[in-house]
Amino acid sequence: MSTPRSTPPRVPPAERGATKIADRVVAKIAAQAAREALAARRDGPPEAAGAAGAAPGAPHATVTVHHDIARVRVSLELGYPSDLAAQCAAVRRQVVRRVEECAAMSVPEVDIDIEHLHSAHTRTAALRDRKLR
């Protein structure tokens, strides 16, 4: 003889737990968002904005998450001369938008560190040296 099985009571969705997104995942989202913002904003000649073959490196981000609030710091290398304030503002907007979209976290602040400025003169010299090799 078989005994009827009882099904355990269902747990309401609000009591089931939570998904935790690691800080390093949010940092990767922020770095990608910074790349997107810089690629979309091309001030001046293409080599000044970090086009292929230019000197500026990829953005790097560090994030601290507390509950659903992410504090982001992005390190950039930018071309110079260019509108640095406009580039930083575009990066801030894109980082806030993408982290809120992808990780469902609010971003009250995005600190930007400009690690290097690359002038057209230094890029031209570096490209010339590369061709001579």
Side-chain angles (χ1 to χ4, degrees), residues 19 21 25-26 28-30 32-33 36 94-105 107:
T19 300
I21 300 173
V25 172
V26 181
K28 288 179 181 183
I29 294 168
Q32 177 62 35
E36 292 168 2
Q94 184 70 358
V95 166
V96 168
R97 188 176 73 77
R98 296 293 283 159
V99 169
E100 286 176 349
E101 275 179 4
C102 297
M105 294 181 183
V107 184

Side-chain angles (χ1 to χ4, degrees), residues 93-125:
R93 281 191 305 273
Q94 184 70 358
V95 166
V96 168
R97 188 176 73 77
R98 296 293 283 159
V99 169
E100 286 176 349
E101 275 179 4
C102 297
M105 294 181 183
S106 66
V107 184
E109 66 183 56
V110 177
D111 293 331
I112 306 249
D113 292 329
I114 300 175
E115 292 186 344
H116 299 288
L117 293 174
H118 298 280
S119 72
H121 175 72
T122 58
R123 279 191 306 280
T124 303

Side-chain angles (χ1 to χ4, degrees), residues 2 37 80 87 93 104 118 133:
S2 65
Y80 185 82
Q87 289 182 70
R93 281 191 305 273
H118 298 280
R133 291 181 190 166

Side-chain angles (χ1 to χ4, degrees), residues 35-118:
R35 279 191 292 280
E36 292 168 2
L38 293 175
R41 182 169 181 81
R42 303 269 183 210
D43 288 328
E47 65 272 3
H60 175 74
T62 56
V63 175
T64 303
V65 176
H66 185 68
H67 299 291
D68 287 337
I69 299 171
R71 300 208 185 276
V72 181
R73 177 177 296 271
V74 179
S75 299
L76 304 174
E77 294 185 20
L78 300 175
Y80 185 82
S82 63
D83 188 348
L84 301 177
Q87 289 182 70
C88 290
V91 167
R92 280 188 182 97
R93 281 191 305 273
Q94 184 70 358
V95 166
V96 168
R97 188 176 73 77
R98 296 293 283 159
V99 169
E100 286 176 349
E101 275 179 4
C102 297
M105 294 181 183
S106 66
V107 184
E109 66 183 56
V110 177
D111 293 331
I112 306 249
D113 292 329
I114 300 175
E115 292 186 344
H116 299 288
L117 293 174
H118 298 280

